[in-house]
Each structure stands twice: as structure tokens, then as C-alpha cells.
Amino acid sequence: MSDVLSALHDTSPYCDVYQHDPELSNMPASALHVDTGQQALEIPVHQHRKGQLVIALHGVVTCRVAEGLWMVPPHSGVWIPGAMPHSNRLTRGGRMCYLFIEPAALEMPDHSCTLSISPLLRELILRLAALPQTYAEQGPTARLVEVLFAELAGMPSERLHLPIPEDRRLARISDALIQAPDDRRTLGQWAQELAMSERTLARRIQRETGLNFSRWRQQLHLIVAIRYLAEGMSVQRVSEEVGYQSVNAFISMFKKLLGTTPTRYLDAHRQRLNGIGRHSNH
């Protein structure tokens, strides 16, 4: 990450995020609160020894790694293991928090994934971000980190991953759909635009993402929908934003992939996180 810090230090209006180098400390954990202000924030591809949990506080956070793309809705975070190249983007007016963890401090997944974030865990991370990066091994901050780790260890994972093709031509499709989720161009129309046969395009998407085109686009819609729903957008409006002609068709897609309706999913998600938070307090 140090290369990114030096390269962007003079040009970025968000100097705090670029000046914060997690490798300067060997503490079990450190955190950083980031506020974009009136501009979007994009940190290009970099890597660091420590694992990183990216939490969305407000706005839209996206994390890209070789495995694919994660969109981080409120109440969730993306875990990125140490030494894994990645980039992060936060929309204008957004806020997020980084939690950096020493590799040997806590057993975490060895692959990128989305984790639920309980209200207690969120507050613990925010509190850590307000404290000095270096602290006494037996002091109050160290005890806070112990509680934080105990809470983090119980967070469930979620299915909010979108595989991103490595093929540049296929990546044009993913980039376009991420920018405009309501884009309803068919596989045949995309094949024509990319100057290849529909059958060839279908095979390449299946090979690189593990999903057929229809299911892959549904996964994108699901991720975007959960993000919008978590931000308070109505189900009707969300269905329009992701290009469904009727709210019933959108609900049917959502239920097929997650086994429940959008409203019940959010209610159950909040109840589960609140339950985890209450349990961890005892």
C-alpha cells in the first residue's frame, strides 16, 4: 500500500486515507474512518500484509479483487485477506471504515467474502478508529480489540459476490451493467456488439463466472437490490432501478435466489444482527 500512498499523496483531496499505512503498526488491529465529502473516492489496486474488513457506513462501497466484485450495503462488510490485490471505491458523500487485522491475531477466511456486521461490532470498529493506531498490549484499547474480535468471529457470511470475467470483452458487459443495472440487452445483442457468436459468448461467460448469462445478471441485480433496499428505497422503486417491468417479477427473482421476499429478507437480517449484538453483550 505504501506505493499507492506516495503516488497519490499530492493529488488526492482525501489525504487521511492515503497517509494511513496499516503496516506501520504491528498491533492486532487498527481502524480508519473515511469520509469522502463532496467527491467520490477511488483507491486503485494495491495490497498489504494485513487483512482488511471494509464497512459501509453511508453511500455505496465497491471492492474489486481478482475473484470478482463486492458491493457493500449498510450492515455488511467485505473481508479481504492479507496480500490480496484489491481496489476500493466509495460514492460521493459516502462514509466507510477500514478494519486492519494482523494475520496471526484472529482466524479469518482465506478468501474474500461478505460478512454481516452487528450494531455492536460497528460501534466497536468506529471507536477503534477514533483511537491511536499504536496502543499498549494490556491497556483499554487492547481490551476493546479483544471484544471486537469475539464479536467479529460470530458474524455470518452473505451471498453478495459477483464474479467478474477476466476477458476484457466480457468485462465490458459487467462494467456496463454495474453502471446501468436496468440495461436489458440480450445475450444476442451483446454478442453482436462484441463481434462474436452468441454461442461463443455464452460459453465464455459460463467458463469465467460459473454462471450462465441470465443467472449472472440476476446476481448483479440481487446485489444492487440489497444495497438499495438497505438504504431505504421502496421495493417498487428498486424493481425499476434494476430494470424489471413489474414489481412481482422482481420479487419472484429475489425469492428464487434467496428463498424469501425483499421485505422479509431485510427484516430477518436486522433481527439476526440485533440478536447477535444482544447475545455478544452477555
Side-chain angles (χ1 to χ4, degrees):
M1 189 172 183
S2 298
D3 293 339
V4 176
L5 302 180
S6 59
L8 299 179
H9 178 273
D10 295 332
T11 59
S12 172
Y14 311 105
C15 292
D16 285 347
V17 67
Y18 295 116
Q19 289 178 340
H20 183 94
D21 189 347
E23 309 298 4
L24 295 179
S25 167
N26 61 356
M27 295 291 100
S30 64
L32 174 68
H33 183 204
V34 179
D35 190 333
T36 63
Q38 295 305 307
Q39 298 185 45
L41 170 65
E42 185 158 6
I43 302 178
V45 176
H46 64 284
Q47 65 186 68
H48 33 73
R49 181 178 56 81
K50 295 187 178 186
Q52 173 182 283
L53 183 67
V54 184
I55 300 174
L57 302 173
H58 184 268
V60 180
V61 181
T62 57
C63 303
R64 188 184 293 264
V65 298
E67 303 169 18
L69 179 78
W70 275 259
M71 294 184 185
V72 192
H75 318 303
S76 296
V78 167
W79 169 249
I80 303 173
M84 177 174 288
H86 61 280
S87 62
N88 301 317
R89 188 179 191 281
L90 178 61
T91 54
R92 184 179 64 179
R95 291 186 297 113
M96 65 179 173
C97 199
Y98 291 119
L99 174 67
F100 299 100
I101 301 177
E102 274 288 321
L106 180 67
E107 185 175 350
M108 293 291 289
D110 60 1
H111 59 278
S112 298
C113 61
T114 308
L115 299 175
S116 296
I117 302 297
S118 69
L120 173 60
L121 179 58
R122 169 178 160 149
E123 293 306 314
L124 289 169
I125 295 173
L126 286 173
R127 176 57 181 159
L128 183 61
L131 298 173
Q133 188 174 353
T134 301
Y135 46 88
E137 293 183 2
Q138 303 297 326
T141 302
R143 291 193 289 273
L144 181 149
V145 170
E146 290 180 5
V147 177
L148 188 158
F149 281 174
E151 183 76 0
L152 177 58
M155 292 297 104
S157 61
E158 298 184 346
R159 293 176 289 177
L160 298 178
H161 167 231
L162 179 71
I164 297 295
E166 293 184 5
D167 184 293
R168 290 185 178 180
R169 288 182 294 178
L170 271 59
R172 283 176 53 188
I173 303 177
S174 62
D175 290 343
L177 292 177
I178 290 168
Q179 292 296 322
D182 59 346
D183 187 331
R184 304 304 294 186
R185 275 178 282 185
T186 65
L187 181 65
Q189 289 172 322
W190 277 114
Q192 184 176 8
E193 182 169 327
L194 298 176
M196 65 175 69
S197 72
E198 184 172 341
R199 180 176 296 181
T200 298
L201 178 58
R203 284 200 305 265
R204 291 189 179 182
I205 291 176
Q206 180 74 45
R207 183 176 65 245
E208 294 208 19
T209 70
L211 304 170
N212 62 40
F213 175 72
S214 177
R215 177 64 183 83
W216 181 66
R217 183 163 58 182
Q218 284 182 340
Q219 183 69 7
L220 170 67
H221 289 160
L222 179 69
I223 294 171
V224 173
I226 290 175
R227 184 190 80 198
Y228 286 152
L229 290 166
E231 293 175 348
M233 192 178 291
S234 70
V235 176
Q236 174 70 47
R237 174 72 184 281
V238 172
S239 68
E240 296 171 357
E241 290 292 328
V242 295
Y244 282 77
Q245 294 183 346
S246 74
V247 67
N248 287 336
F250 166 70
I251 292 174
S252 177
M253 178 277 294
F254 196 100
K255 189 173 182 179
K256 178 181 178 181
L257 298 185
L258 290 182
T260 187
T261 65
T263 302
R264 289 178 179 175
Y265 171 84
L266 280 185
D267 289 343
H269 182 73
R270 294 190 184 105
Q271 291 173 8
R272 184 171 71 250
L273 290 184
N274 288 333
I276 292 172
R278 287 194 298 271
H279 177 74
S280 298
N281 280 320
H282 294 289

